[in-house]
Amino acid sequence: MGLAILIFVTVLLISDAVSVETQAYFNGTAYLPCPFTKAQNISLSELVVFWQDQQKLVLYEHYLGTEKLDSVNAKYLGRTSFDRDNWTLRLHNVQIKDMGSYDCFIQKKPPTGSIILQQTLTELSVIANFSEPEIKLAQNVTRTSGINLTCTSKQGHPKPKKMYFLITNSTIEHGDNMQISQDNVTELFSISNSLSHPFPDGVGHMTVVCVLETESMKISSKPRNFTLPELPSVGKNWIQIRAIIITLVFVLLFTIIVARIYCKKQNQPIRPSNTTCMSEQDGNAGRESINLEELGPQVASAKPNAE
């Protein structure tokens, strides 16, 4: 008789086993279903319903119409609630370590022993959205160094596939040093990448986007624009220098013209009776001028007497 019951139970386990997949967000709520097709014929007060994880630790037990907490593992106490209408167990405050398989068993409790009416296997996966990738400038932009950037994204799950940079509407993926780390407590991943890229000749502006790819999505950063500071600076300085040169040329030409006019006026013939003349060949600046009219009588008195 015992053997017959064992065979009967085994047949029921195989034929009535249900497998489902569900997904929950980190720190959110997971729904572990246990749909019972025979619920309309059997009262919950006649059943034992419980969930256990892959380590056989009990999450929740509903025993003949009443919650039974003494068999629940400490890590799940206060984290579950049972939805009787939908035959679903809610697991709250989901963590990455909660990922895995969960079994729900529905047993009927006859006067002696118990019969497993249904088993539901739920495969739970947990996701956490990565933060939006953020681009930071590692050093100042110059023509020699180009752009040196880092991009980071944090607190995500599952492990990201890759991170790369796109430059000025190009489809070529750039990235020199992708690094992935995992927090020992939360088991969440963080990722970073770096880029060193020169400005091509004749190009003074670049737009950069950082892209993170996971198994299910692609996340892009806000576009960052980078411009060479030398280009507008050099142009402005050249305009200033050119203006100074033009001004100096005009000043020099004006000075030369004025000097020539002055020299022409100085070299015009003058009347000896009225004008004091200074010898142009004499370099001595201290020599006094000589008046020819005053020298006349002196010269006459100096002549010898003809008589």
Side-chain angles (χ1 to χ4, degrees):
M1 184 67 174
L3 181 60
I5 293 176
L6 179 60
I7 294 174
F8 176 70
V9 171
T10 304
V11 170
L12 283 177
L13 282 173
I14 295 173
S15 62
D16 287 359
V18 179
S19 179
V20 295
E21 293 182 358
T22 188
Q23 192 176 72
Y25 282 99
F26 181 76
N27 283 336
T29 299
Y31 296 88
L32 308 178
C34 192
F36 186 37
T37 58
K38 304 179 181 62
Q40 67 275 15
N41 300 322
I42 304 176
S43 171
L44 189 59
S45 61
E46 303 176 52
L47 300 175
V48 176
V49 184
F50 67 95
W51 280 260
Q52 65 182 23
D53 62 17
Q54 53 196 351
Q55 297 176 333
K56 308 304 180 185
L57 302 177
V58 176
L59 287 73
Y60 176 86
E61 183 175 1
H62 200 88
Y63 187 82
L64 302 179
T66 305
E67 291 185 352
K68 187 178 180 182
L69 300 179
D70 55 356
S71 58
V72 175
N73 186 268
K75 66 183 289 188
Y76 296 113
L77 281 174
R79 294 182 58 201
T80 61
S81 58
F82 180 46
D83 184 350
R84 299 189 181 193
D85 296 330
N86 297 317
W87 292 73
T88 299
L89 183 69
R90 294 184 288 254
L91 177 62
H92 306 287
N93 192 27
V94 173
Q95 302 297 299
I96 301 301
K97 62 187 67 176
D98 291 324
M99 291 179 57
S101 301
Y102 293 87
D103 285 303
C104 170
F105 294 96
I106 300 178
Q107 297 177 340
K108 186 174 182 181
K109 195 74 173 175
T112 57
S114 62
I115 302 173
I116 297 178
L117 300 178
Q118 183 173 301
Q119 176 188 4
T120 301
L121 172 65
T122 301
E123 193 69 32
L124 172 64
S125 60
V126 180
I127 60 174
N129 290 332
F130 281 89
S131 62
E132 181 181 287
E134 181 181 7
I135 297 176
K136 291 185 178 180
L137 191 62
Q139 67 180 61
N140 292 334
V141 178
T142 65
R143 171 65 69 179
T144 303
S145 64
I147 51 174
N148 291 276
L149 311 173
T150 60
C151 181
T152 57
S153 182
K154 301 177 181 179
Q155 304 297 299
H157 197 276
K159 186 177 181 179
K161 293 172 61 178
K162 59 181 177 178
M163 172 182 275
Y164 53 88
F165 296 87
L166 296 177
I167 300 176
T168 314
N169 299 325
S170 172
T171 58
I172 300 175
E173 298 177 3
H174 300 270
D176 304 323
N177 186 24
M178 187 176 72
Q179 296 182 343
I180 300 175
S181 60
Q182 187 175 24
D183 189 277
N184 292 330
V185 178
T186 64
E187 300 185 17
L188 296 175
F189 292 98
S190 295
I191 183 171
S192 65
N193 203 350
S194 59
L195 172 68
S196 180
H197 195 278
F199 276 86
D201 293 339
V203 175
H205 178 83
M206 284 193 289
T207 300
V208 181
V209 175
C210 178
V211 181
L212 170 65
E213 287 190 10
T214 67
E215 292 179 357
S216 58
M217 66 182 62
K218 194 182 285 188
I219 311 171
S220 298
S221 69
K222 293 181 176 65
R224 287 288 303 271
N225 299 315
F226 300 97
T227 303
L228 274 176
E230 290 91 344
L231 293 179
S233 177
V234 170
K236 183 177 179 180
N237 291 340
W238 169 243
I239 293 174
Q240 293 175 346
I241 293 172
R242 186 169 60 179
I244 292 173
I245 292 175
I246 293 173
T247 302
L248 291 175
V249 169
F250 275 112
V251 171
L252 181 61
L253 290 175
F254 179 78
T255 303
I256 292 174
I257 292 172
V258 171
R260 286 184 177 181
I261 293 174
Y262 179 78
C263 288
K264 285 182 179 180
K265 288 183 178 181
Q266 289 294 324
N267 292 331
Q268 288 180 356
I270 48 180
R271 293 184 301 179
S273 61
N274 299 326
T275 306
T276 300
C277 178
M278 180 179 290
S279 174
E280 293 179 0
Q281 296 179 353
D282 193 344
N284 188 355
R287 175 175 293 183
E288 297 180 353
S289 61
I290 302 174
N291 193 314
L292 296 180
E293 292 181 352
E294 293 178 355
L295 289 177
Q298 298 179 8
V299 173
S301 61
K303 290 182 179 180
N305 192 342
E307 297 178 353

